[in-house]
Amino acid sequence: MLILTCPNCGVSGEETEFTPGGEAHLKRFGPGSDDEAFTGYLFERKNPKGVHFERWRHAYGCGKWFHAARCTVTLEVFGTYSAQTTEPPAHIIDAIKTKRPDWEGYE
Amino acid sequence: MADAVSAVGGAEFRGAVTVREVGPTGMITLRGDLGSDAVAKAVKAATGLGAVPGEREIGLDGDKGAAWMSPDELLILVPYAEAEKAVTAMEKAPGKAHALVVNVSDARAHFRISGAGVREVLAKGAPVDLSPDAFGAGTIRRSRVGQVAAAFWLSDTDCFDLVCFRSVGEYMFTWLSTAGAKDSLPGYLS
Ligand SMILES: [Zn+2]
């Protein structure tokens, strides 16, 4: 079972209280971008075995979005953080590196 | 004004615990900067409470109250007949500062579940630690109960108040009555 702590309201809840929102930190390619970039934005997603960054919404709780860094193999959650950021903050990167020294890093 | 009709007509169930629909309750959504004077004034105007509830807190004073719903949202509780008056007072209170005030009374259902095993009844369907050490008075928790969203708080010893959307009021009453059936409690939290 996946247990997430919502950084907006402090609740630690199990996953049925939340709604997954897919891969985190996508950059939007819209009007003016070429077809390849637009296709990538629409369809191409990471599917790592290991460290992954995702968007989640506390659907049954405070209703707010946030980000989570977790391991797709063990369901270990390295940390949750604000939705209002375009990349993982330093303290999340540090937490992952402490637990997964071999991790290749973000992006 | 037409007579207000509640979700399940004030139904009551008696089993291991008692489940009762409280009936029409004044509920007002207030959105704004919860640390601002504007919101403090609006809370005071509607409920008389001198403090804005902190994270996951609910402040109660008789039949009025204010509950923390999210970092920018409060739920104001007042008697049903006073809701419109409270809305008017809340809209005036912040002056020019930004706040949203909406009377949601008719969109909600309000239940009261009481009896010694009440924590176990809720724990059957809410993924929440309901042990007395973890869940005490003054806390409000938004979560799910069964398959629907709800918010609940301790209104007295062994007594929870629960609010949910009116559209799922009948589901909630049936769910609570089933979970609270006689001889159905595990006896884990008591
Ligand atoms: Zn939350």
Side-chain angles (χ1 to χ4, degrees):
Chain A
M1 185 189 292
L2 186 59
I3 294 179
L4 297 166
T5 299
C6 173
N8 301 303
C9 71
V11 160
S12 288
E14 48 93 57
E15 64 191 88
T16 64
E17 201 168 303
F18 302 87
T19 307
E23 186 182 321
H25 310 305
L26 294 179
K27 183 168 185 275
R28 182 171 183 270
F29 290 91
S33 60
D34 60 34
D35 287 355
E36 200 174 331
F38 187 55
T39 303
Y41 163 66
L42 278 184
F43 300 114
E44 287 162 16
R45 294 291 180 269
K46 292 173 185 165
N47 187 21
K49 184 179 178 183
V51 177
H52 194 33
F53 299 88
E54 290 173 322
R55 302 166 73 230
W56 285 85
R57 190 172 90 91
H58 197 181
Y60 284 101
C62 69
K64 303 292 185 191
W65 286 93
F66 60 93
H67 283 127
R70 71 173 177 107
C71 176
T72 59
V73 178
T74 63
L75 300 192
E76 178 178 10
V77 177
F78 303 110
T80 53
Y81 53 101
S82 168
Q84 283 72 41
T85 176
T86 54
E87 59 185 39
H91 74 276
I92 295 290
I93 297 288
D94 290 346
I96 298 168
K97 281 184 173 162
T98 304
K99 292 186 164 163
R100 298 284 189 281
D102 297 339
W103 177 52
E104 69 278 14
Y106 177 67
E107 216 112 50
Chain B
M1 190 173 73
D3 287 341
V5 176
S6 63
V8 292
E12 184 172 305
F13 165 84
R14 285 173 187 276
V17 296
T18 299
V19 181
R20 184 169 66 83
E21 190 196 14
V22 176
T25 303
M27 292 186 228
I28 301 160
T29 290
L30 169 61
R31 273 192 192 265
D33 176 356
L34 301 192
S36 67
D37 286 347
V39 164
K41 280 181 188 158
V43 169
K44 177 93 180 157
T47 65
L49 291 167
V52 174
E55 191 173 82
R56 301 195 309 282
E57 287 177 2
I58 180 167
L60 295 165
D61 183 12
D63 51 12
K64 295 181 177 172
W68 192 94
M69 299 297 271
S70 90
D72 60 359
E73 182 184 345
L74 298 179
L75 177 67
I76 304 297
L77 299 162
V78 295
Y80 184 82
E82 293 174 31
E84 278 306 322
K85 201 178 74 185
V87 166
T88 307
M90 288 166 72
E91 283 172 341
K92 282 195 187 124
K96 283 193 162 37
H98 176 69
L100 294 174
V101 180
V102 184
N103 182 357
V104 296
S105 307
D106 295 320
R108 302 281 168 83
H110 181 188
F111 297 96
R112 188 161 291 151
I113 315 115
S114 56
V118 68
R119 289 173 183 271
E120 296 199 312
V121 172
L122 277 180
K124 287 185 186 184
V128 175
D129 186 349
L130 281 148
S131 61
D133 290 345
F135 201 116
T139 297
I140 183 167
R141 181 67 149 82
R142 293 178 72 179
S143 184
R144 64 177 176 87
V145 172
Q147 297 181 42
V148 299
F152 46 84
W153 64 93
L154 271 174
S155 46
D156 205 341
T157 311
D158 292 333
C159 180
F160 274 91
D161 272 37
L162 179 151
V163 294
C164 64
F165 290 119
R166 182 198 176 98
S167 56
V168 294
E170 193 174 340
Y171 171 94
M172 185 61 79
F173 182 76
T174 308
W175 190 93
L176 289 169
S177 303
T178 306
K182 200 164 172 290
D183 300 326
S184 76
L185 302 185
Y188 183 74
L189 290 177
S190 55

